[in-house]
Amino acid sequence: MQAVPAGAHHSGAAGEPEVMQPSPKGTGKVGKKGSSKKRTVARSPVEGLLQPVKLSPAELYKEPTSEELNRLRETESLFHSSLLRLQVEELLKGVRLPEKKKERIDAFLREVNQRVMQVPSTLETEVKQLTDQAWLPTGVRVPLHQVPYTVKGCFHFLPPAQVTVVGSYLLGTCIRPDVNVDMALIMPREILQDKDGLNQRYFRKRALYLAHLAHHLAQDPVFGSVRFSYTNGCHLKPSLLLRPHGKDERLVTVRLHPCPPPDFFRLCRLLPSKNNVRSAWYRGQSPPGDGSPELPTPHYNTWVLQDTALESHVQLLSTMLGSALGLKDGVVLLKIWLRQRELDKGLGGFSGFLVSMLVAFLVSTHEIHTTMSGYQVLRSVLQFLATTDLTVHGISLCLSSDSSLPAVADFHQAFSVVFLDPSGRLNLCADVTASTYHQVQHEAQLSMALLDSKADDVFQLLLMTPKPMIRTFDHVLHLHPLSRLQAACHRLKLWPELQDHGGDYVAAALGPLTTLLEQGLESRIHLLAHSRPPVSEWDISQDPPKHRDSGALTLGFLLQPEGLTSVLELGPEADQPKASDFRQFWGSRSELRRFQDGAIREAVVWEAASMAQKRLIPHQVVTHLLALHADIPGTCVHYMGGLLDALIQGLKETSSTGEEALAAAVRCYDDLSRLLWGLEGLPLTVSAVQGAHPVLRYTEVFPPTPVRPAYSFYEHLRERASLLPRTDKPCPAYVEPMTVICHLEGSGQWPQDAEAIRRVRAAFQLRLAELLTQQHGLQCRASAMHTDVLKDGFVFRIRVAYQREPQILREMRSPEGMISLRDTPASLCLEKDTRQLPLLTSALHGLQQQHPAFSGVARLAKRWVRAQLLGDGFTDESLDLVAAALFLHPEPFTPPSSPQVGFLRFLFLVSTFDWKNNPLIVNLNNEFTAEEQVEIRSGFLATRTQLPIMVIITPNDRKNSIWTQDGPSPQILQQLVVLAAKALPVLEKQLMDPRGPGDIRMVFRPPLDMYDVLIRLSPRHIPRHRQAVDSPAASFCRGLLSEPGPSSLMPVLGYDPPQLYLAQLREAFRDLALFFYDQHGGEVIGVLWKPTSFQPQPFKASTTKGHVVVSQGGELVMVPNVEAILEDFVILGEGLVQAVETLSERWTV
């Protein structure tokens, strides 16, 4: 058994098989944290595998109890499977607050109530103007930006008239790990004045009220932490956060929200059509003399209204949810669903409160019944969200027919998304942007499709898989610094919006910017989403954070592959009225063009020659539009879309990621296959020509380019029209022939003996070479197993195949003359090479036509695995299939449309998939039905111990996982899982950093400190030296002419000295060590000693290779002769090996 690459030699006793530990399937933020204890190595091949439960006959045939029957009936009607019910129940149990914690929280809330009511009031003689804040103690600052500072009104502090717990804690829908309890402090009427609704007076008083509270509560030893924060990210509405002292500090966060008495403000003054922030006050300008009315301030009015309605909303939810446990479970599941998708936080987030009110709305319209289960409630709400566009058709909880109430249409004029509360005056979705709602709608549609599929991993994908922005969207861009949005507000003339949002230029500019970009990217994107600035906390002695301090504004693009490759934005005809609008929108990029149909149109043409550049056209569009319309320069737009492309670019390609080179090789293969079909003079006709090489399925990491050797660089082998490397020159360029399988028709003339078939095939190989040379003038070189053909600078290796040969190799003749069929290594290998591999290549070629990003994703994945020196443990095909799974089974995401997001998901899949207990089913061409997939999983568990550690099932390989039979070993797979789990957060953090990603190649560099010995190689003899992760600034000439052209001599094929050296090392020292190498230009071979090889062995003359005899306890034993072995490494690699480094503390003799 092979050893673990990381610290392998410290594992258990000799000969004990090691089984990879299962990796946790979900890494969501919900539920309890995983144990930090170290995992122990399993002692048995079946330990840790899921085993069927064994029951006695009496238990097996026992009649079900009435309780069990009721539960089965419930499960059938309320859930779509028993497994889903169990999973949902366990999740709810994990996120709900235990009774003991509730008791401690209740005790703390009583303390808070008591302390708040005891805060001393200021004397009435100390009634101060709002601008006179000298009375504030030095240790506390007002948690509000007071701009402009001058405002009318007086303030003094009185304890709250009432303290009420509001929100999810009271309703029983509060979830861990972040337990927040909201408390409404009803401010006494005496400290408020009639016109406090105007010009932020109410918000100023609210902030001063909190500052006074904070000063006194901070001195109380009951509280471990007293800090300010913004309520849902709204800069005008700070709240005070209180946490307990000591070990309970993380138990709960209590948020204090000062509120006016419910009937204090005249509600008709707070309608969305009214203005409560005067321009003369806010902008310091006198109102225009033309008598035009002040523009309305709908968001400002809404924020005042929200404070008046806190209690009434809690009462409504208590009435609606009441004792209906299923509704509460549904709200909890919806909160988890939103949290995993990062939709619930920040200003304009689709919060838990909103979904609670949505459930109440659906109960009121009888679309949800109080007897429904949590799962049914989740399903009903998702169905409603998926099919209802609240940006067009708003909804209302108001049942009143009062004609003085504004209509839903009036709210649509002021807000993007409309959902009215029971009063008919407050829009609950006032802060939700159209982009955020469309994202919620998109996620709901994906989730409904997933639920309707009834897959057995629905629960895992729907509620336990996190969907961070960088892993969800194909491209993201960061606008940084945020202060540039101030200039954007001026350019876009957003003064009314700034006035309405209290100077928050990020919130004011967000809607117009997303609308602008959606219009410009209309045909290229399916969805545009934006991040919401995080809700910050700060110390009471500090000034509140400025708008620009919330980091960056991040936009995510879900690309539309169909429109992505177009370099043209086609406008209206020149004489159309819309032509001037088009010119105004696109500015200097718009120009008149005549098209083939004779039409003269406005058009915008983007510079993009290669597929990689076309994928990045959105970057050009965004940069141009933001600079033109919003005065945001390109230096502030940090676009994360093609940063990983450099890792799969060829030597001279800086603008292409190789799709064009792969397409050229495939076209050449198509030409060759036509020549083969049309060959005259073969005894049997060609029945099929199939590709069997990664190039022909678009997954070769570095695609071949047409080669034209410089003859002076080589020795000439005249009799075979071939070239040979010269010893005095650097190693020539690596040229890998592309394998093509050529099937010949069946015939009674084929012999029935395996050896005779091989000889007939060899004759066909020779004849094929003759005919291709005679009829088409191609340079060919034939051997008994294949024929190499040089065509247009590409080399193809044609293998003749006879379809019955694998069956003949399976035939076994008994002494009595009976023939039986049995798989042999030779028959399995031949079938894999001539039947399975061409079928797989064809299926993946089709997948590439359907999803153009597949090539980039598969190649990045293979580049990363090989860069970790683990490439030899995995076949090309197995990694291609893992990449294909990301497109065929993308749930809960959509199929990737860029290599970047596909690679991130590859790392996530590798690091979280439970390889031990599940097969990876790759449903190529959608051939598997849902029932067949269930059957495969059942059969997998029954035969688990006979299967390899990594099992990949395809429609043509339903049981054996042929692509992983020879590797990886459990230890190599575990190492890959560990490396992927470490690389993913590092890379995601780099891509989400608005200041720039830094060194993006960092996650591709292998950890070398884990190896026992490092063998350094000479770049002179590494033919693929320039393909290294850190490409060298200079390398050696490899004997190719820069201009491709015809060549009459066959180039040197498959010559890679490091790989040949590696094969020799493994042959000579396979019992003592493992060897790891990056075939793409690696300069280091990593060596790990096998732990078993360092245990003293009894002396035997037949096994002295690599050992030295020593006396131990009076007996002669053998131990590895490390010094001699290291010397052998150098001798075997003479000329190639530069140095051998030993990490001596890693091994002992």
Side-chain angles (χ1 to χ4, degrees):
M1 179 64 70
Q2 288 182 317
V4 185
H9 39 290
H10 303 306
S11 298
E16 286 178 350
E18 295 178 12
V19 178
M20 191 192 78
Q21 291 297 315
S23 122
K25 283 185 79 173
T27 58
K29 302 169 189 173
V30 178
K32 295 180 183 177
K33 292 180 182 175
S35 167
S36 61
K37 291 179 183 176
K38 290 183 179 177
R39 292 173 176 167
T40 54
V41 176
R43 299 295 181 195
S44 144
V46 295
E47 194 177 317
L49 296 179
L50 297 176
Q51 298 293 324
V53 177
K54 292 182 180 175
L55 299 173
S56 67
E59 288 175 307
L60 199 57
Y61 298 107
K62 188 171 69 172
E63 287 188 8
T65 62
S66 58
E67 190 182 333
E68 287 172 335
L69 285 171
N70 281 336
R71 191 171 168 82
L72 283 168
R73 271 195 294 272
E74 267 183 38
T75 301
E76 196 174 324
S77 59
L78 304 182
F79 294 84
H80 79 231
S81 76
S82 302
L83 174 63
L84 183 62
R85 177 173 191 162
L86 288 169
Q87 289 171 319
V88 167
E89 286 174 356
E90 280 302 307
L91 174 63
L92 291 170
K93 207 183 295 179
V95 298
R96 279 241 162 81
L97 282 172
E99 284 304 318
K100 284 186 179 177
K101 278 199 175 179
K102 275 189 185 173
E103 289 168 13
R104 282 155 56 200
I105 291 172
D106 289 341
F108 181 63
L109 293 178
R110 286 192 290 273
E111 292 274 6
V112 172
N113 191 349
Q114 189 182 345
R115 299 299 199 279
V116 167
M117 297 305 280
Q118 290 171 354
V119 171
S121 55
T122 54
L123 298 173
E124 289 199 19
T125 56
E126 293 183 14
V127 173
K128 304 285 186 184
Q129 293 295 315
L130 282 175
T131 50
D132 180 8
Q133 295 170 8
W135 59 273
L136 273 173
T138 52
V140 67
R141 308 303 293 265
V142 180
L144 184 74
H145 293 292
Q146 302 178 77
V147 181
Y149 186 73
T150 307
V151 68
K152 293 178 183 177
C154 304
F155 176 78
H156 69 286
F157 181 86
L158 290 174
Q162 188 184 343
V163 179
T164 317
V165 176
V166 293
S168 58
Y169 181 73
L170 204 61
L171 299 167
T173 58
C174 187
I175 61 171
R176 295 188 289 176
D178 304 319
V179 180
N180 297 305
V181 180
D182 296 297
M183 293 182 92
L185 314 181
I186 310 297
M187 295 188 287
R189 286 175 183 275
E190 293 83 355
I191 67 172
L192 298 172
Q193 294 165 291
D194 286 344
K195 291 193 174 181
D196 277 355
L198 283 175
N199 297 345
Q200 300 183 12
R201 293 180 203 174
Y202 163 68
F203 293 119
R204 303 284 172 97
K205 287 188 177 182
R206 199 178 172 283
L208 290 168
Y209 198 86
L210 281 177
H212 184 84
L213 274 173
H215 171 65
H216 287 279
L217 295 179
Q219 297 166 22
D220 198 312
V222 170
F223 304 114
S225 156
V226 178
R227 295 169 70 78
F228 288 129
S229 180
Y230 289 130
T231 305
N232 295 327
C234 173
H235 284 254
L236 285 179
K237 292 175 68 174
S239 54
L240 189 62
L241 308 185
L242 304 175
R243 295 186 178 94
H245 181 70
K247 63 177 185 188
D248 278 346
E249 187 174 359
R250 297 196 175 183
L251 174 69
V252 65
T253 300
V254 176
R255 302 188 290 208
L256 303 184
H257 307 276
C259 303
D263 55 350
F264 178 78
F265 289 110
R266 288 178 60 206
L267 297 180
C268 62
R269 287 291 314 140
L270 295 170
L271 295 178
S273 57
K274 301 293 183 184
N275 172 283
N276 283 298
V277 182
R278 305 291 189 249
S279 303
W281 170 78
Y282 184 75
R283 296 164 64 177
Q285 296 175 355
S286 55
D290 57 4
S292 58
E294 290 269 7
L295 290 167
T297 52
H299 289 88
Y300 176 94
N301 301 350
T302 299
W303 293 331
V304 178
L305 269 174
Q306 283 170 350
D307 282 2
T308 67
L310 282 177
E311 277 194 82
S312 63
H313 289 161
V314 170
Q315 287 163 4
L316 169 78
L317 291 172
S318 298
T319 308
M320 288 288 194
L321 303 183
S323 57
L325 191 60
L327 297 186
K328 291 181 180 179
D329 288 350
V331 170
V332 169
L333 292 174
L334 283 161
K335 283 185 172 186
I336 295 168
W337 182 83
L338 287 166
R339 183 176 292 182
Q340 294 289 28
R341 286 153 183 76
E342 298 183 348
L343 289 166
D344 60 335
K345 292 284 190 288
L347 181 63
F350 209 81
S351 63
F353 167 70
L354 274 180
V355 287
S356 303
M357 294 298 275
L358 194 53
V359 168
F361 170 78
L362 293 175
V363 170
S364 71
T365 58
H366 308 294
E367 289 180 56
I368 287 179
H369 196 268
T370 51
T371 58
M372 283 183 170
S373 69
Y375 166 74
Q376 285 181 309
V377 172
L378 171 72
R379 210 188 148 93
S380 300
V381 173
L382 291 179
Q383 177 66 24
F384 177 82
L385 287 170
T387 54
T388 312
D389 190 351
L390 297 184
T391 63
V392 180
H393 305 291
I395 56 174
S396 175
L397 275 161
C398 180
L399 303 174
S400 169
S401 55
D402 186 351
S403 59
S404 66
L405 289 174
V408 171
D410 298 334
F411 282 91
H412 274 298
Q413 290 179 358
F415 302 106
S416 300
V417 187
V418 177
F419 176 18
L420 303 185
D421 81 336
S423 73
R425 291 183 171 87
L426 171 59
N427 179 16
L428 300 170
C429 289
D431 294 325
V432 180
T433 62
S435 295
T436 297
Y437 184 75
H438 288 143
Q439 189 185 354
V440 171
Q441 204 175 13
H442 168 75
E443 292 291 351
Q445 287 163 356
L446 290 180
S447 298
M448 282 311 298
L450 186 57
L451 288 169
D452 290 340
S453 72
K454 297 197 173 174
D456 54 3
D457 54 353
V458 164
F459 171 80
Q460 183 68 32
L461 299 171
L462 192 68
L463 296 170
M464 297 302 287
T465 305
K467 293 188 68 176
M469 193 171 220
I470 191 68
R471 212 182 302 151
T472 302
F473 293 94
D474 296 304
H475 290 173
V476 297
L477 74 85
H478 309 296
L479 292 179
H480 179 80
L482 280 178
S483 53
R484 285 303 309 186
L485 291 180
Q486 239 175 329
C489 287
H490 288 282
R491 183 65 175 268
L492 293 164
K493 299 183 173 59
L494 298 179
W495 273 110
E497 284 82 357
L498 278 172
Q499 199 167 310
D500 188 18
H501 285 87
D504 185 351
Y505 49 79
V506 180
L510 191 53
L513 282 184
T514 51
T515 305
L516 173 77
L517 296 181
E518 279 172 346
Q519 188 181 343
L521 294 166
E522 188 178 9
S523 62
R524 299 179 189 279
I525 61 168
H526 180 63
L527 181 71
L528 182 151
H530 60 80
S531 65
R532 285 155 295 283
V535 182
S536 51
E537 288 182 20
W538 68 97
D539 194 81
I540 62 171
S541 62
Q542 295 174 333
D543 284 322
K546 294 184 168 59
H547 305 300
R548 64 170 179 265
D549 294 338
S550 51
L553 175 62
T554 302
L555 302 178
F557 302 137
L558 210 54
L559 302 176
Q560 204 162 296
E562 306 83 51
L564 193 59
T565 54
S566 170
V567 295
L568 185 71
E569 307 285 348
L570 195 60
E573 292 191 5
D575 54 356
Q576 295 288 326
K578 290 182 180 178
S580 62
D581 294 340
F582 186 87
R583 282 194 298 274
Q584 189 176 354
F585 184 77
W586 290 107
S588 59
R589 294 300 300 243
S590 177
E591 51 190 26
L592 277 177
R593 287 187 168 240
R594 183 188 291 276
F595 291 88
Q596 286 182 340
D597 61 357
I600 299 174
R601 290 176 174 269
E602 291 287 344
V604 177
V605 179
W606 305 103
E607 298 80 27
S610 67
M611 189 66 200
Q613 290 175 324
K614 287 175 182 175
R615 274 198 300 268
L616 292 173
I617 287 177
H619 185 194
Q620 295 183 52
V621 175
V622 168
T623 308
H624 173 69
L625 290 178
L626 289 180
L628 178 65
H629 294 288
D631 205 17
I632 298 174
T635 52
C636 298
V637 179
H638 305 274
Y639 199 90
M640 309 291 169
L643 292 172
L644 295 173
D645 289 356
L647 287 145
I648 50 173
Q649 283 174 347
L651 172 60
K652 294 175 184 172
E653 292 287 352
T654 53
S655 60
S656 167
T657 46
E659 287 90 350
E660 290 72 30
L662 285 163
V666 170
R667 282 195 300 272
C668 187
Y669 155 75
D670 290 338
D671 290 345
L672 178 65
S673 62
R674 280 192 286 273
L675 298 183
L676 290 170
W677 282 101
L679 274 183
E680 296 173 4
L682 272 177
L684 295 173
T685 58
V686 174
S687 63
V689 178
Q690 295 174 304
H693 191 272
V695 170
L696 306 179
R697 52 180 183 263
Y698 294 91
T699 63
E700 180 67 26
V701 178
F702 292 99
T705 51
V707 292
R708 186 184 174 202
Y711 297 150
S712 61
F713 196 86
Y714 301 88
E715 297 280 353
H716 291 219
L717 198 62
R718 294 288 178 196
E719 63 274 13
R720 299 202 64 186
S722 297
L723 299 172
L724 289 177
R726 276 172 55 173
T727 52
D728 59 333
K729 296 279 188 184
C731 174
Y734 180 75
V735 179
E736 185 177 352
M738 291 173 265
T739 307
V740 176
I741 307 298
C742 181
H743 290 271
L744 298 176
E745 65 176 343
S747 163
Q749 301 299 309
W750 278 99
Q752 298 304 304
D753 175 70
E755 181 56 34
I757 288 175
R758 271 195 289 273
R759 290 172 183 262
V760 170
R761 272 200 295 107
F764 271 112
Q765 296 286 178
L766 294 168
R767 184 68 178 143
L768 205 59
E770 284 175 27
L771 294 175
L772 283 170
T773 304
Q774 287 170 13
Q775 295 177 20
H776 302 291
L778 295 178
Q779 182 62 46
C780 299
R781 187 170 66 198
S783 72
M785 297 301 294
H786 56 256
T787 301
D788 291 332
V789 179
L790 177 64
K791 184 179 189 308
D792 301 338
F794 295 105
V795 181
F796 295 91
R797 178 158 285 176
I798 302 173
R799 284 187 62 180
V800 170
Y802 170 47
Q803 61 189 17
R804 286 200 70 249
E805 188 176 359
Q807 187 177 344
I808 290 167
L809 286 173
R810 278 197 284 269
E811 291 177 359
M812 296 287 175
R813 193 177 294 274
S814 67
E816 295 80 27
M818 296 289 289
I819 293 178
S820 60
L821 295 178
R822 188 180 304 159
D823 284 334
T824 63
S827 70
L828 290 172
C829 183
L830 188 64
E831 177 150 2
K832 185 165 84 171
D833 290 347
T834 60
R835 195 181 81 83
Q836 296 276 14
L837 189 52
L839 284 174
L840 178 68
T841 302
S842 171
L844 293 181
H845 180 281
L847 185 67
Q848 166 65 19
Q849 306 308 311
Q850 199 178 345
H851 299 285
F854 168 68
S855 168
V857 174
R859 290 160 58 217
L860 266 178
K862 288 200 277 197
R863 183 71 198 95
W864 179 78
V865 172
R866 291 169 183 173
Q868 304 310 305
L869 313 189
L870 300 176
D872 291 338
F874 297 83
T875 60
D876 244 15
E877 295 74 26
S878 64
L879 294 173
D880 287 347
L881 285 169
V882 174
L886 301 169
F887 292 84
L888 296 168
H889 314 287
E891 300 83 6
F893 304 97
T894 50
S897 290
S898 77
Q900 173 181 293
V901 76
F903 177 62
L904 291 173
R905 290 187 204 165
F906 169 82
L907 292 177
F908 180 72
L909 175 64
V910 167
S911 61
T912 59
F913 191 80
D914 186 358
W915 297 103
K916 183 186 287 186
N917 292 310
N918 285 293
L920 182 67
I921 299 175
V922 184
N923 193 3
L924 293 166
N925 301 323
N926 212 21
E927 289 182 37
F928 285 132
T929 62
E931 293 75 23
E932 284 176 322
Q933 293 189 42
V934 170
E935 197 180 310
I936 285 167
R937 287 191 171 92
S938 306
F940 166 82
L941 286 174
T943 59
R944 182 65 187 102
T945 50
Q946 285 91 53
L947 291 168
I949 187 67
M950 184 184 194
V951 177
I952 301 176
I953 301 294
T954 65
N956 291 314
D957 173 26
R958 297 181 177 226
K959 290 182 180 176
N960 300 323
S961 187
I962 56 174
W963 307 115
T964 59
Q965 285 289 351
D966 300 327
S969 66
Q971 296 81 12
I972 298 291
L973 179 58
Q974 177 64 12
Q975 178 66 7
L976 190 77
V977 167
V978 169
L979 289 170
K982 286 180 179 174
L984 180 63
V986 171
L987 189 54
E988 287 187 344
K989 186 180 176 186
Q990 284 183 303
L991 293 172
M992 285 302 283
D993 188 342
R995 291 161 302 183
D999 186 0
I1000 208 77
R1001 298 171 190 262
M1002 187 164 66
V1003 296
F1004 282 79
R1005 295 189 188 105
L1008 296 177
D1009 55 348
M1010 55 185 261
Y1011 294 103
D1012 298 324
V1013 178
L1014 298 178
I1015 304 174
R1016 304 270 179 192
L1017 307 180
S1018 165
R1020 179 183 172 89
H1021 296 296
I1022 303 174
R1024 294 184 265 188
H1025 187 223
R1026 285 188 183 273
Q1027 294 177 4
V1029 169
D1030 294 296
S1031 186
S1035 189
F1036 295 87
C1037 170
R1038 300 294 174 189
L1040 294 181
L1041 296 175
S1042 55
E1043 292 298 319
S1047 171
S1048 59
L1049 297 177
M1050 187 70 71
V1052 176
L1053 298 181
Y1055 179 57
D1056 191 350
Q1059 291 286 25
L1060 300 171
Y1061 175 53
L1062 210 54
Q1064 286 184 320
L1065 288 175
R1066 285 175 179 150
E1067 179 64 32
F1069 304 108
R1070 64 162 60 122
D1071 298 331
L1072 294 169
L1074 294 169
F1075 299 91
F1076 300 89
Y1077 179 64
D1078 174 11
Q1079 67 193 58
H1080 296 296
E1083 292 186 29
V1084 176
I1085 293 175
V1087 184
L1088 272 179
W1089 301 121
K1090 290 190 176 181
T1092 52
S1093 62
F1094 281 84
Q1095 294 178 352
Q1097 304 289 336
F1099 173 71
K1100 287 183 185 173
S1102 59
T1103 58
T1104 55
K1105 179 179 165 186
H1107 287 73
V1108 63
V1109 179
V1110 296
S1111 177
Q1112 199 175 76
E1115 287 188 19
L1116 291 179
V1117 293
M1118 294 191 303
V1119 293
N1121 187 353
V1122 175
E1123 285 76 12
I1125 292 169
L1126 297 179
E1127 199 178 320
D1128 288 348
F1129 288 172
V1130 177
I1131 293 167
L1132 276 175
E1134 186 181 354
L1136 174 63
V1137 174
Q1138 271 188 342
V1140 174
E1141 293 176 24
T1142 58
L1143 307 175
S1144 54
E1145 70 273 13
R1146 294 277 185 176
W1147 51 269
T1148 51
V1149 178

